[in-house]
Amino acid sequence: MRQPLRRHPDSLCFAATHIEVEVARPHAGSLVLSYVVTGRIGDLRMPPVTAAARSDELWQHTCFEAFIRTSPDAAYYEFNFAPSTQWAAYRFDSYRSGMRAATEIGAPRVEVQSTPECYTLQASLELARLPGLPRDAPWNFGLSALIEDTSGRKSYWALAHPPGKPDFHHSDCFAHEFY
């Protein structure tokens, strides 16, 4: 089932009109995330597709993100996927604390497709080796996107937003449970 992302009320976006994310677990320990952006795709700032590689600070520009944990106040993982097919994976001990690269995960497969009105990024991950995500427990997701248009304006999209400025790490953003 697709989950709609909501634009943060303090950010504007004239290029993207709608963003949805479909979450699938084809088998225990795997995850497929499909982000679908509709709007004037030519007005989005999208880096060119390059060789897939781990890279930091992807969130500075158009980036699709997933935050996953098993319970409130638990350690969590952050995954970033760029339109270039670059990616990042981090583990946090608690809210914005104890960040480190999640080196135990293998490279995800990131595929992109684009038309003038629709952009899709699909990321397939194998998460079986991540100690903080037991395969037999429900996972809580925070799904989000940072969208940058060609003027440099950024908008922040998530399942839910906490009060105040955009903060994808906030507990309010973990608004989807999946078994």
Side-chain angles (χ1 to χ4, degrees):
M1 176 164 60
R2 287 189 175 178
Q3 301 293 314
L5 299 186
R6 293 173 179 81
R7 184 179 46 80
H8 189 275
D10 294 339
S11 64
L12 296 175
C13 187
F14 301 111
T17 56
H18 191 73
I19 302 176
E20 293 180 324
V21 185
E22 186 168 352
V23 179
R25 284 177 76 179
H27 56 83
S30 72
L31 180 66
V32 177
L33 300 165
S34 299
Y35 295 82
V36 179
V37 180
T38 55
R40 295 189 320 262
I41 303 306
D43 291 341
L44 299 178
R45 181 172 286 166
M46 299 283 204
V49 173
T50 63
R54 187 183 292 256
S55 184
D56 291 319
E57 298 191 14
L58 296 174
W59 50 267
Q60 300 254 5
H61 301 285
T62 297
C63 181
F64 302 92
E65 301 184 346
F67 296 80
I68 308 171
R69 67 182 184 196
T70 55
S71 64
D73 301 321
Y76 64 95
Y77 290 90
E78 174 185 353
F79 301 95
N80 302 156
F81 311 104
S84 64
T85 73
Q86 293 177 311
W87 61 277
Y90 306 100
R91 181 182 168 110
F92 291 81
D93 293 330
S94 60
Y95 174 73
R96 293 189 176 272
S97 176
M99 177 183 162
R100 61 192 171 279
T103 56
E104 61 274 22
I105 185 173
R109 188 176 77 242
V110 180
E111 300 171 312
V112 298
Q113 293 181 329
S114 187
T115 70
E117 296 85 28
C118 184
Y119 177 85
T120 303
L121 180 142
Q122 185 176 76
S124 302
L125 301 105
E126 290 298 327
L127 304 177
R129 294 186 296 163
L130 297 181
L133 295 176
R135 290 185 277 172
D136 58 348
W139 294 351
N140 298 103
F141 286 86
L143 303 169
S144 55
L146 181 146
I147 302 295
E148 185 177 16
D149 67 24
T150 53
S151 73
R153 181 181 317 124
K154 296 177 181 175
S155 60
Y156 303 88
W157 301 71
L159 291 172
H161 292 281
K165 67 180 184 166
D167 181 359
F168 297 152
H169 292 257
H170 193 279
S171 187
D172 287 357
C173 292
F174 287 81
H176 179 62
E177 185 172 78
F178 198 80
Y179 292 87

